[in-house]
Amino acid sequence: MNLIPDLEILDELDVPRLTVRECEGARKVYIETYGCQMNVSDSEIVAAILQAHGFGLTRNPEEADVVLLNTCAIRENAEQKVRHRLDVFRAHKRKRRPGLQIGILGCMAERLRHKLLEQEQLVDLVVGPDAYRDLPRLLEEAEATGQAAVNVQLSREETYADIAPVRYDSNGVTAYVSIMRGCDNMCAFCVVPFTRGRERSRPVQSILDECTRLVEEGYREVTVLGQNVNSYRYVAEGTVVTFPELLYRISQISPELRVRYSTSHPKDCSDELLYVHRECHNVCNYIHLPVQHGNTEVLRRMRRTYTREQYLALVERARRIVPGIALSTDVIAGFCGETEAEHQDTLSLLEQVRFDHAYMFLYSERPGTYAARKYKDDVPLEVKKRRLQEIIELQTRISLENNRKEIGRVHTVLIEGPGKRGPDQLCGRTDTNKMVVFERQTFHPGEYVLVRITDCTSATLFGEPLGRTTLAEAARLEAGRV
């Protein structure tokens, strides 16, 4: 029986808990991952480093000698869930496994190291996102001395470009590839520049090599990652490779490899990038384009570097250059000083753009950010919750209306795995990043299938499979219909 309760997933970040596949090793490590896709990618890097130093990986926290929580500090709610999980593991250590080492990795590590180590004494190890190579030494040091070990130093060079990630909980179909780290944007509400440091881009060839290996291993989709992925810029021997060029080169590795990316900033969404979407059949017609708010004055306070009008012009340009492109976004309710009229501007922007999907949050102040230093968090919690609920209800209606328009259409779906309703169903995503559920029949994960949409909810499409296809063939069929 599992004595440690399952982690409550961070639903608002839409990223599942990860554990690791069992394998042999002198000491066994259990990893849980919170937060964004970058944290998922980081956990795969951590697994690779530890395996290379003789550690084993386990799915079962009860048999682990080391428990590592890879953390998120973007929102207060995320930190509270991590703290709760630490309490669970501390109790397990005290009652059943006194030699257990508990470590915090990632974004919470740098920000809360003093509290976690000295004041509350919750952990034995604190390691920041640029110090994962030091993990084996730190674990050995902590075990030998009985003292907590720490390395939260940020780096201007570290990209882990030479580390081949261990994709320990992968479906074997889709994979994340980190192409850059850090962020230079300094948005008023965001703690990422303080926890992950300045932007630095990974060498081009190392990215292409990793994507090529994934294709050779049978993967059919990669999502390239960065805190601000479309600001990628690598300079070598006088040659500059920007994100659109990199995306194009990845798309040329295989005509059957789908390519996605996240997360992009509106300021770096260039026409050149949009033309890559249009010209490359395997670069998905989907962009996650966080707007954060619908009012120009609030955007100024957020230090987002664009106005409402500029964002709307970008959306119009994207839809003109790439017909049928799907857009998702992030929205924050209740930012400092937000008035009712400014909140209404967010609602009207959602109505005007009609995003396919949105990640919606209420504002929570993060210590050390520009907003925490310069503004007062003065919107009452009850008002924040009410405004967030209005945003959620509106976007849910828009998503449902958008999905209803898909009924009768045929999409190329990459099968990712079984559906949630039973073994007779499979699920996968369209080019526009919409989840589709359909009958299994004789299809298998990793195959491309043409599916006619027959029904929907606000979050999911349902359909009937018409037969197998390839990306290249599907592109030719689509070109013939245009």
Side-chain angles (χ1 to χ4, degrees):
M1 183 175 66
N2 189 350
L3 302 175
I4 300 180
D6 287 339
L7 173 67
E8 182 180 358
I9 296 172
L10 292 178
D11 294 322
E12 70 273 20
L13 294 179
D14 196 32
V15 176
R17 176 174 66 95
L18 297 182
T19 56
V20 293
R21 186 173 295 114
E22 294 183 14
C23 61
E24 296 302 320
R27 302 180 67 204
K28 292 187 177 181
V29 180
Y30 172 81
I31 305 174
E32 284 185 358
T33 304
Y34 300 74
C36 67
Q37 297 165 329
M38 282 294 294
N39 281 12
V40 176
S41 177
D42 278 4
S43 289
E44 294 174 344
I45 290 169
V46 167
I49 291 169
L50 291 177
Q51 274 197 336
H53 285 79
F55 287 83
L57 306 173
T58 179
R59 290 180 177 273
N60 184 1
E62 293 181 30
E63 69 178 23
D65 303 294
V66 179
V67 167
L68 300 176
L69 304 187
N70 192 359
T71 62
C72 173
I74 298 299
R75 274 166 267 282
E76 183 178 3
N77 189 38
E79 289 190 2
Q80 292 305 316
K81 290 182 178 182
V82 170
R83 285 179 171 276
H84 169 73
R85 196 57 168 160
L86 284 175
D87 289 339
V88 171
F89 283 118
R90 290 292 296 178
H92 177 63
K93 176 177 180 176
R94 185 173 60 253
K95 295 176 182 179
R96 299 179 180 276
R97 205 167 183 88
L100 178 68
Q101 288 182 294
I102 303 172
I104 285 286
L105 313 179
C107 294
M108 275 182 66
E110 192 281 333
R111 204 178 76 73
L112 295 179
R113 64 186 184 278
H114 296 300
K115 282 189 176 181
L116 294 172
L117 284 172
E118 299 165 14
Q119 297 177 23
E120 303 174 25
Q121 298 182 340
L122 288 176
V123 296
D124 309 295
L125 191 77
V126 176
V127 183
D130 290 346
Y132 296 145
R133 293 181 193 271
D134 204 23
L135 259 170
R137 183 191 68 81
L138 293 169
L139 285 166
E140 182 179 350
E141 176 186 311
E143 184 180 34
T145 66
Q147 301 297 312
V150 183
N151 187 343
V152 294
Q153 185 173 356
L154 294 176
S155 168
R156 287 180 175 269
E157 291 81 32
E158 182 62 84
T159 64
Y160 300 107
D162 60 318
I163 302 292
V166 172
R167 304 181 196 280
Y168 50 77
D169 208 36
S170 169
N171 58 14
V173 177
T174 63
Y176 297 129
V177 176
S178 176
I179 66 169
M180 62 180 298
R181 302 180 72 82
C183 183
D184 290 348
N185 288 326
M186 302 300 291
C187 297
F189 52 81
C190 187
V191 74
V192 165
F194 306 102
T195 59
R196 285 188 171 268
R198 302 296 298 272
E199 287 180 3
R200 60 271 190 200
S201 296
R202 181 177 162 187
V204 174
Q205 194 58 51
S206 72
I207 298 169
L208 298 178
D209 289 345
E210 182 174 345
C211 292
T212 300
R213 287 196 300 271
L214 288 167
V215 171
E216 292 170 349
E217 293 168 8
Y219 285 84
R220 290 292 175 261
E221 179 178 292
V222 296
T223 300
V224 296
L225 301 177
Q227 263 75 39
N228 184 24
V229 69
N230 51 346
S231 70
Y232 176 92
R233 188 174 186 270
Y234 187 74
V235 182
E237 299 179 352
T239 300
V240 178
V241 176
T242 60
F243 184 64
E245 172 66 21
L246 175 67
L247 201 63
Y248 174 79
R249 293 190 190 184
I250 295 172
S251 76
Q252 300 305 296
I253 291 173
S254 168
E256 297 304 310
L257 177 69
R258 265 189 179 168
V259 186
R260 303 187 189 273
Y261 58 89
S262 187
T263 292
S264 53
H265 194 290
K267 72 178 177 61
D268 295 311
C269 188
S270 64
D271 286 4
E272 183 185 6
L273 177 57
L274 295 172
Y275 280 110
V276 171
H277 279 273
R278 190 173 81 174
E279 295 169 6
C280 300
H281 75 276
N282 55 342
V283 174
C284 292
N285 285 346
Y286 163 76
I287 305 177
H288 183 63
L289 199 63
V291 65
Q292 306 298 358
H293 207 275
N295 176 271
T296 293
E297 172 56 25
V298 177
L299 291 171
R300 183 195 64 80
R301 295 201 300 272
M302 288 179 166
R303 307 177 87 187
R304 288 294 287 173
T305 72
Y306 52 84
T307 66
R308 173 192 175 102
E309 291 72 25
Q310 288 169 333
Y311 185 90
L312 291 173
L314 172 59
V315 169
E316 187 280 328
R317 196 163 64 250
R319 287 174 169 164
R320 172 171 48 81
I321 295 174
V322 193
I325 195 163
L327 299 174
S328 63
T329 198
D330 294 344
V331 180
I332 297 174
F335 187 68
C336 308
E338 183 190 62
T339 66
E340 191 63 30
E342 290 168 341
H343 165 62
Q344 291 298 319
D345 282 345
T346 291
L347 297 178
S348 70
L349 183 136
L350 293 178
E351 283 278 20
Q352 186 169 349
V353 176
R354 301 187 67 78
F355 294 102
D356 292 276
H357 179 71
Y359 298 92
M360 300 157 283
F361 317 95
L362 58 81
Y363 173 68
S364 61
E365 183 177 271
R366 311 312 294 136
T369 60
Y370 184 89
R373 290 183 283 111
K374 298 293 185 178
Y375 304 142
K376 182 179 179 181
D377 184 9
D378 55 359
V379 179
L381 181 59
E382 310 78 51
V383 175
K384 288 182 182 179
K385 289 182 177 179
R386 189 260 301 169
R387 291 176 181 172
L388 177 61
Q389 187 59 36
E390 291 176 2
I391 291 169
I392 291 172
E393 290 175 358
L394 173 58
Q395 182 56 48
T396 300
R397 173 176 64 79
I398 292 170
S399 295
L400 179 59
E401 291 170 356
N402 287 349
N403 282 351
R404 283 175 175 163
K405 294 178 182 178
E406 302 286 359
I407 294 175
R409 295 176 179 172
V410 175
H411 283 280
T412 304
V413 176
L414 173 60
I415 304 175
E416 296 180 9
K420 294 182 179 180
R421 296 185 179 180
D424 295 332
Q425 290 186 334
L426 292 170
C427 66
R429 295 185 185 274
T430 66
D431 177 80
T432 53
N433 202 40
K434 294 189 177 185
M435 181 60 71
V436 184
V437 177
F438 54 93
E439 290 185 4
R440 176 183 289 273
Q441 297 184 11
T442 61
F443 305 111
H444 302 284
E447 293 182 320
Y448 291 105
V449 178
L450 293 175
V451 180
R452 178 180 288 113
I453 306 305
T454 58
D455 200 358
C456 70
T457 67
S458 62
T460 306
L461 303 177
F462 301 92
E464 56 177 354
L466 304 179
R468 294 175 176 84
T469 187
T470 65
L471 272 190
E473 177 61 25
R476 285 192 291 271
L477 290 173
E478 181 61 28
R481 288 195 291 262
V482 175

